[in-house]
Amino acid sequence: AIAAGQATRARAAEGDPAILELPEHTRGLGRPVAERPYGLPSQWEANLQRRESPGLTRVPQASVSFTPLQGLFGIITPSGLHFERHHQGWWDIDPSKHRLMVHGLVKRSRVFTMDELMRLPSVSRIHFIECGANSAPEWGNVALPTVQYTHGMVSCSEFTGVLLSTLLDMCGIDRKTAKFVLAEGADGSSMTRTIAIERALDDCIVAWGMNGEMLRPENGYPLRLVVPGVQGVSWVKYLRRIEVGDQKWATKDEAVHYIDLMPDGTHRQYTGIQECKSVITTPSGGQMLLDKGFYNVSGLAWSGRGRIQRVDVSVDGGRNWRTARLEGPVLDKALARFNIDWVWDGKPAILQSRAIDSTGYVQPKINQLRAVRGTRSIYHQNAIQSWRVAESGEVFNVQVY
Amino acid sequence: AIAAGQATRARAAEGDPAILELPEHTRGLGRPVAERPYGLPSQWEANLQRRESPGLTRVPQASVSFTPLQGLFGIITPSGLHFERHHQGWWDIDPSKHRLMVHGLVKRSRVFTMDELMRLPSVSRIHFIECGANSAPEWGNVALPTVQYTHGMVSCSEFTGVLLSTLLDMCGIDRKTAKFVLAEGADGSSMTRTIAIERALDDCIVAWGMNGEMLRPENGYPLRLVVPGVQGVSWVKYLRRIEVGDQKWATKDEAVHYIDLMPDGTHRQYTGIQECKSVITTPSGGQMLLDKGFYNVSGLAWSGRGRIQRVDVSVDGGRNWRTARLEGPVLDKALARFNIDWVWDGKPAILQSRAIDSTGYVQPKINQLRAVRGTRSIYHQNAIQSWRVAESGEVFNVQVY
Amino acid sequence: QSKPWDHIGREATPAEIKAWDIDVRPDFKGLPKGSGSVALGEKVWEAQCASCHGSFGESNEVFTPIVGGTTKADIETGRVKNLVLGSNFPQRTTLMKVATVSTLWDYINRAMPWNAPKTLKTDEVYGVLAYILNMGDIVPADFTLSDQNIAEVQKRMPNRNGMAFHEPLWKADGKGDVKNVACMKDCPTEAQVRSSLPDFARDAHGNILEQNRVVGPVRGADTTKPPVK
Amino acid sequence: QSKPWDHIGREATPAEIKAWDIDVRPDFKGLPKGSGSVALGEKVWEAQCASCHGSFGESNEVFTPIVGGTTKADIETGRVKNLVLGSNFPQRTTLMKVATVSTLWDYINRAMPWNAPKTLKTDEVYGVLAYILNMGDIVPADFTLSDQNIAEVQKRMPNRNGMAFHEPLWKADGKGDVKNVACMKDCPTEAQVRSSLPDFARDAHGNILEQNRVVGPVRGADTTKPPVK
Ligand code: HEC
Ligand code: HEC
Ligand SMILES: [Ca+2]
Ligand SMILES: [Ca+2]
Ligand SMILES: [Ca+2]
Ligand SMILES: [Ca+2]
Ligand SMILES: [Ca+2]
Ligand SMILES: [Ca+2]
Ligand SMILES: [Co+2]
Ligand SMILES: [Co+2]
C-alpha cells in the first residue's frame, strides 16, 4: 500500500494521468457520420433539461417548463431547451392540414395553407420571448433556488416568417376603422389575444421558422405569431386565425390572467410590454464557485422597448457598479449577452446586474417596483436580481436593496 | 356514388374540410410540459436529415454528412443538422478528463481543465464554418442533385469560448519568433493544422459553446477551435493542444489534402480562406414549384474575408440582375440570408445568385474560376450556382455562364 | 398598390368564417343567439365541470376556484373589495377578477370542458355560465341567461369597474412607471439581505447538483445537504 | 501586463509535453531518434496496413492508393509529371502529392493504423515508412530509414518541388485571384446550359421527394421517376 501510494505520488508529480495515459478516444476509431441523422447533446450534458417548478401549477398540460439558463451561453436558446407554456397541452399538428384565416375589417378575407404562406416574402429576425409571469413568484419574497426557475421563462431565437403587416396589407385592412387584431390558436385552448393595430403593422411576424428549422411542436408548429417585445402569451401558437376589429376582446388571458393587481385593488389590463431586465446566469443561485480567484461573470439582458444599451454589474450589493462587455450582435428586442471580469477574494459578495435600454430606462430595484406596483401584481417583475456568494462558494438567491 | 359525389362537391363549395371539421387538436387536450425534457423537431420534419453522399467517401468514419439547406431558414443552423466531417470517427468525450495544453515558443506552458478554461473571459460570436471541399464535386461538371449535396458542408452557429489570443497572451508568446501555431485534436486522427500567428491573435476562439449549449459530440465536444473565415478542417475538434512555433507544419491535411491542384501540376498549399460565395436554397435542385406565380426566392451568402455587402439574383441565367434584400444581422464571417421577389410565368428560367463582400470581391462564375484554377483543384469552389426551372416546375442543377 | 403576391391564398367562405369566428367581445359582438337556465347549467356543471372545479366552483384541484370572494356590496359598486390591499381573502377567484361577462362566455365556449373543448351546445354555455353567476349571487336561481339579457347581467358583474388601462405598458414606445437611476459609485443601498430562500425551499426543486453541468467554473450545490457554514 | 486571470491553469510538466508533443515538422523538429528497415516495414505493413491499403499500397478500398504514379524522372526533378494537366494517370496517390517526408512520418505515427492509432513503436514507423518509400522506388529494398538519413531521403521525394504558396488565399485580407464584375443589365453570358445532371445521378442520392419538407412553396421531385417533359 505504501509503495502504491508512492507510485501515485510520483506519477502525480510527473503529470496528470489524463494527459500521460492517452485516452481511448486518442487511440481508437470513433463513430460514423450520420449515425445520428438528427444530432443530440452530449451524454454529459443531461443535467441541463427543461424542468417544471413543483407546486407552481396543478396540471402538467396547463403548466410551464423552464429553460436552464444556468448552463447556457450566448444569446441563442437551443430549441430543445426553449421554455414551454401550454394552457391545454401541446400537439404535433399535420402542417398540410393547417390553415390560417385572416378576416374581419378587411376588404377581402383570406385563407392560407402552409404552402401558400411559405411562398410569401419572408423575414428572419432574432427576438427574445419572455412569459409575462417570468420571475413572478418573487414579487414578494425569495422563493426559488436557481436562475432556471427565477428567470427561465425567457428564450431567444431566430424567427422566420411573413410580416403580419404583409398579410394585413394583402387583405386590405380598413385603415380608418381597424384598431386591433385578435390572434387565435388552433389548440384546445384556442388561445386568443388582442394586439393593437400599430403593433400588428410594426414588427410582428407570422412565423414558421425558429433557429433555422421549423418551430418545434411545443412552440406552436407549424405556425406561431411573433410579437417582439410583448409577453409570450401574445405569441399565439398553432396560429389559425387573425381577426381585424375595432375593439379589444378582453379574452380570458387578458381579463382574468395577465392582468396586474395594483395596491388599490384595480387590475392593470393590457400590460403586454416586457420592460428592460437582466440577470447574471453564471455564477447564479444554487451554484458553487470552485475556488477563489478570477471569474468571468456572465448574464443576459433584454428589453421589449428596443436594444440594450448598457449593462452594469455590482459585486457589493449595489453600492458600486462597473460596466460589462456586451457581446455582439446587440439587436432590437433580443437577448444580449454580457460578460465582466471579477476576482473573488473568498469573502461574502452580492452580485447584481442592471440593464439600460435604448430608451434610457434603467432596470429598477425590487423595492422601486414595489413602491409603485405593490407585491401582488404577479406579472412583469423585472427587478434587479441579487445573488449572494457565501464564503463556502455557494451562491444564494437573495433580495438586496 | 353520385349522391356522395354531389355531397362532396357541395361541401367543397361550402369550404375546406380542414376548416369546417374542427381537427382533434382543437377539440382535445394535448400533451404535458416537459414530456420531452430535451425537445425534438416535429414528426413531420423527418425528411430533413443530415445525409451522406453515396460514393463520395469509402468508410463512414472518414466521411461527410451534409446539412439539408433546402429546408432551412435564416442564418442559424440547427445543431442537430450541422454537417459532419470526421477523419477517424466522432466521440463523446468525458469533459472532466479533457485537457488543453499550450506550449512551444511561450514564456510558460499551460495546461487547462475545462473548469479552468470556462472561468476565463469569453466571447460569443456568430460565424459560418464551411468545409474547404464544399461544392468540390462540381469543379468539372454537374454531379449532384440538390443543394444539400452541392453546398451542405456549410453551417452557421453562435460560438462561445475564450479568444485564442487570451490564452496565447497568458502564456507569454515570444512575439519575435512566434510565427505559427499548431492546433491538435484528441481523437484518433489527432487532426493537426497550422494557423498563422496573425490569424491566431485575431478572432480565433477556443470554443465550448455552440448555439447556446455545449458543442455537440459530432462537432468536437467539449472543445473546438473556431477559425473564422477559414475552411472547417482548421476548426480542430476535441482540441487538446496548441503549440507555438516558427515554421509551418505541413501536416497530412495541409500537405496531402486541402491542397489545390493547379493546371501546371503544382499544388497551392495553405489555401485556407473561404472566399465569398452564395447559393439560392429555395427553390433549388430537386425541388418542384407547385404552381406559377409569386415566389420568395431565398438563399445564403457568406465570405471568409468579411461581411456580405450585397447579393444580386438573376432569373435569366445571368443576363440581368436585381439586388436582393438582406435579413439582419449581417455579420463578419457569418452566413447572411437573402430574399427576393420573383413571379414565375411558367416558362423555363435559370436562377443564380451572386454575392459581393465588404472587400468588394464579386463571387465568380464557374468559367472564371476554371480559367485561373482549372477543374482539378477540388477545394474552394465558390462559383455562382445555377438552377434551371423547367416548365414542369422541377428545378435542376446546371452550369450556365 | 397591388403586390405580386396578392393572388396567394383565397377568400374565406361564409361557412368557414362561421366555423372559426367564435370569439365574443365585451360589446357582445360574436355572441350567438340562445339561452340557458341556471337549472340546465347545474346539470351541465355537475356532469362536465364539477369533477375538476368542484361542486360549487370552489375546487383548487386544477385551478384557482372560479367562485367565491365577491359580495353583494361588490355587485353594487362594481369593485371587489377583497382585491384591495389588506384583505384577508386567500384566493383571487375568477369572479373576483373578471370585469366582462363576455370573457366567461367566450372562454367556456372555446375551451371548456378542458379535456373536450368546443363540445358544449350554445344553450349549455348560457346555462353553465348562468349557474356560475348564480353561485356568485350575481343572478337568481331561477334565472335564464340569454343573448337578450346578458348586457343587463354585465351591469351586475362584481368587478366590472376593477380594470385600469395603463397605456405605457401596452405601447412599445411608452415610458415605464418605475424609475431607477444608473448610479455608479457609493450608491444608496443598504446592501443587506432583505429576503432569502426559506430552508424548506432549498431542495424543493430537486437536487441542484444534478441540474448543473459536470464541468465549468461552478458546480451545482448539493441541496440534499444543508449549506456549508 | 499581467491579467487577473493569469493564475488559471498550470505549467505543463516535461512528461506531459512529451506525451502529447508528437508532431514532426518538415525541418524534422520533433522527430524522435530511431530507425527501421524496409524489411521490418514490410512485416508491419502486411500485418497492420495491407488489410486496408492493399499489399502494395495500391488499394482503393478505404482511401486513394498511397503508392503509384511517380517515376524515376520525378525523383530527379522533384515534380510529379502525372499531376500536370493532360496526364492520363487515374489517381492522385499520396506519393504523387506529398512534398515533405516528415508529413508521412508524422501522420503514420499519429493516426495509423486507422483503427488503432498511436500504437506503432517509433522504429516501426520508420520501417513502415521505409517500406512505402521503397514501393515508390524512392529508397532501395535494403534501406534502413532513420533520423540520421531522413533529410537525405527528403531530397528524393518525387513531388518535393510541387508545392506553391499563394499568400492571398492564406491571409484573411488577401485579394482573390479570380475576378468577376457586378454587371446588372445585359451582361455577357451565353445563358445556356453547359452542364447538367447525368441521368444516372438523378436518384443516386435516394428519392429527393423524401428529402424535402411535406409543406412549403416546393416539394421534392419524385426522382424514382424520370422528369416530366
Ligand atoms: C378535466 C378538467 C376540467 C374540466 C372537466 C373543466 N375544466 Fe374548467 N378549467 C380546467 C383547467 C385546468 C383550467 C385552467 C386552464 C388554463 O390554464 O388556461 C380551467 C379554467 C376554467 C375557467 C377559467 C378560470 C380562470 O380563472 O381562468 C372557467 C371559467 C372554467 N374552467 C369553467 C369550466 C366549465 C364551465 C366546465 C364544464 C363545462 C369546465 N370548466 C370543465 C379544468 C377543467
Ligand atoms: C482499418 C483500416 C486502415 C488500416 C489498418 C490502416 N489504414 Fe491507413 N488509412 C485508412 C483510412 C480510412 C485513411 C484516410 C483517413 C482520413 O480520411 O483522414 C488512411 C490514410 C492513410 C495515409 C494517408 C493517405 C493520404 O493520402 O491521406 C497513410 C500514409 C496511411 N493511411 C498509412 C497506413 C499505414 C502505414 C498503416 C499501418 C501501419 C495503415 N495506414 C493502416 C485506413 C487504414
Ligand atoms: Ca406567457
Ligand atoms: Ca473541412
Ligand atoms: Ca369575431
Ligand atoms: Ca425540502
Ligand atoms: Ca512539437
Ligand atoms: Ca440511378
Ligand atoms: Co398563460
Ligand atoms: Co479532411
Side-chain angles (χ1 to χ4, degrees), chain A residues 79-395:
Chain A
S79 295
L81 295 173
H82 194 297
F83 76 93
E84 296 168 89
R85 173 71 173 113
H86 315 303
H87 287 265
Q88 224 137 326
W90 63 271
W91 296 84
D92 191 3
I93 294 177
D94 179 348
S96 66
K97 303 212 175 101
H98 190 74
R99 303 288 179 267
L100 176 68
M101 183 187 289
V102 185
H103 71 114
L105 299 178
V106 295
K107 289 218 183 59
R108 52 171 199 174
S109 66
R110 223 82 196 121
V111 169
F112 300 97
T113 62
M114 289 302 298
D115 290 353
E116 290 162 339
L117 284 171
M118 292 171 80
R119 283 174 69 165
L120 294 174
S122 63
V123 299
S124 296
R125 293 178 187 168
I126 296 173
H127 288 299
F128 80 83
I129 168 171
E130 183 183 18
C131 178
N134 201 22
S135 315
E138 305 203 327
W139 264 106
N141 283 304
V142 169
L144 300 164
T146 77
V147 72
Q148 176 160 19
Y149 307 105
T150 58
H151 290 75
M153 285 200 281
V154 69
S155 293
C156 183
S157 308
E158 185 188 31
F159 293 97
T160 296
V162 53
L163 285 173
L164 179 54
S165 63
T166 302
L167 298 181
L168 294 174
D169 283 345
M170 281 175 83
C171 298
I173 55 162
D174 186 328
R175 298 250 170 191
K176 283 245 177 63
T177 55
K179 294 270 182 293
F180 304 97
V181 307
L182 181 77
E184 180 182 88
D187 60 330
S189 79
S190 297
M191 174 59 68
T192 33
R193 289 276 304 181
T194 302
I195 293 148
I197 195 77
E198 312 90 69
R199 287 277 78 246
L201 292 174
D202 183 7
D203 54 4
C204 291
I205 308 171
V206 172
W208 50 83
M210 185 166 94
N211 289 342
E213 59 195 350
M214 289 290 281
L215 290 159
R216 295 292 177 83
E218 292 92 330
N219 306 114
Y221 183 90
L223 206 62
R224 103 175 288 175
L225 191 62
V226 168
V227 191
V230 172
Q231 62 190 359
V233 64
S234 291
W235 297 41
V236 171
K237 298 193 276 194
Y238 319 112
L239 184 71
R240 75 167 185 180
R241 190 167 70 95
I242 300 281
E243 179 171 346
V244 181
D246 55 4
Q247 287 189 20
K248 292 172 188 157
W249 271 265
T251 68
K252 175 260 216 175
D253 283 297
E254 52 199 29
V256 181
H257 304 285
Y258 302 95
I259 54 175
D260 310 12
L261 182 56
M262 301 295 286
D264 69 356
T266 59
H267 282 94
R268 285 185 175 170
Q269 202 178 9
Y270 305 110
T271 52
I273 301 296
Q274 297 298 109
E275 291 185 288
C276 184
K277 187 166 172 179
S278 72
V279 66
I280 293 170
T281 53
T282 310
S284 59
Q287 295 184 330
M288 297 275 307
L289 301 189
L290 296 180
D291 200 358
K292 294 182 209 182
F294 180 83
Y295 284 87
N296 179 62
V297 172
S298 187
L300 293 166
W302 61 97
S303 168
R305 299 205 198 270
R307 264 176 314 97
I308 288 299
Q309 186 180 299
R310 199 175 97 197
V311 178
D312 302 320
V313 170
S314 168
V315 296
D316 60 2
R319 181 85 60 199
N320 296 288
W321 298 81
R322 288 177 302 139
T323 297
R325 308 186 301 279
L326 292 180
E327 295 302 314
V330 179
L331 300 168
D332 200 42
K333 301 168 185 169
L335 293 189
R337 171 64 61 175
F338 65 84
N339 290 296
I340 191 167
D341 303 343
W342 178 49
V343 178
W344 184 44
D345 58 9
K347 302 211 189 91
I350 290 164
L351 272 52
Q352 300 180 332
S353 67
R354 180 184 66 195
I356 306 175
D357 70 16
S358 46
T359 73
Y361 173 93
V362 182
Q363 183 186 4
K365 304 199 258 190
I366 184 74
N367 55 320
Q368 294 170 325
L369 266 177
R370 286 187 191 138
V372 178
R373 302 194 199 158
T375 62
R376 306 179 303 156
S377 77
I378 301 185
Y379 303 99
H380 305 112
Q381 203 275 63
N382 67 326
I384 290 172
Q385 170 69 45
S386 305
W387 304 118
R388 178 172 70 85
V389 181
E391 280 180 34
S392 65
E394 187 167 343
V395 186

Side-chain angles (χ1 to χ4, degrees), chain B residues 13-16 18-20 22 26-29 95-96 114-115 118-119 213-214 221 292-294 341 343, chain C residues 4-5 7-8 10 13-17 19-20 110 114-119 213-219:
Chain B
E14 237 192 291
D16 182 347
I19 296 175
L20 298 179
L22 293 188
T26 308
R27 292 176 292 106
L29 180 60
S96 67
M114 290 301 300
D115 290 354
M118 292 172 80
R119 281 174 70 165
E213 59 195 351
M214 289 291 280
Y221 184 89
K292 293 181 210 184
F294 180 83
D341 304 344
V343 178
Chain C
W5 54 83
H7 65 95
I8 292 178
R10 60 167 177 84
T13 69
E16 287 173 335
I17 294 180
W20 278 13
R110 152 185 318 278
W114 194 52
N115 48 354
K118 303 179 191 67
T119 55
R213 187 167 284 117
V214 297
V215 292
V218 295
R219 293 292 182 281

Side-chain angles (χ1 to χ4, degrees), chain B residues 63-90:
Chain B
S63 185
V64 176
S65 75
F66 296 83
T67 294
L69 297 178
Q70 69 274 18
L72 301 192
F73 314 106
I75 63 168
I76 296 293
T77 307
S79 295
L81 296 173
H82 194 296
F83 77 94
E84 296 168 272
R85 172 74 174 111
H86 315 304
H87 288 265
Q88 224 137 324
W90 63 271

Side-chain angles (χ1 to χ4, degrees), chain B residues 103 182 241 243 249, chain D residues 21-25 29-30:
Chain B
H103 71 113
L182 181 77
R241 189 168 70 95
E243 178 171 347
W249 271 266
Chain D
D21 182 12
I22 59 172
D23 60 273
V24 179
R25 291 199 315 201
K29 184 164 182 292

Side-chain angles (χ1 to χ4, degrees), chain B residues 143-156:
Chain B
L144 301 164
T146 76
V147 72
Q148 177 159 19
Y149 306 105
T150 59
H151 289 76
M153 285 200 282
V154 68
S155 295
C156 183

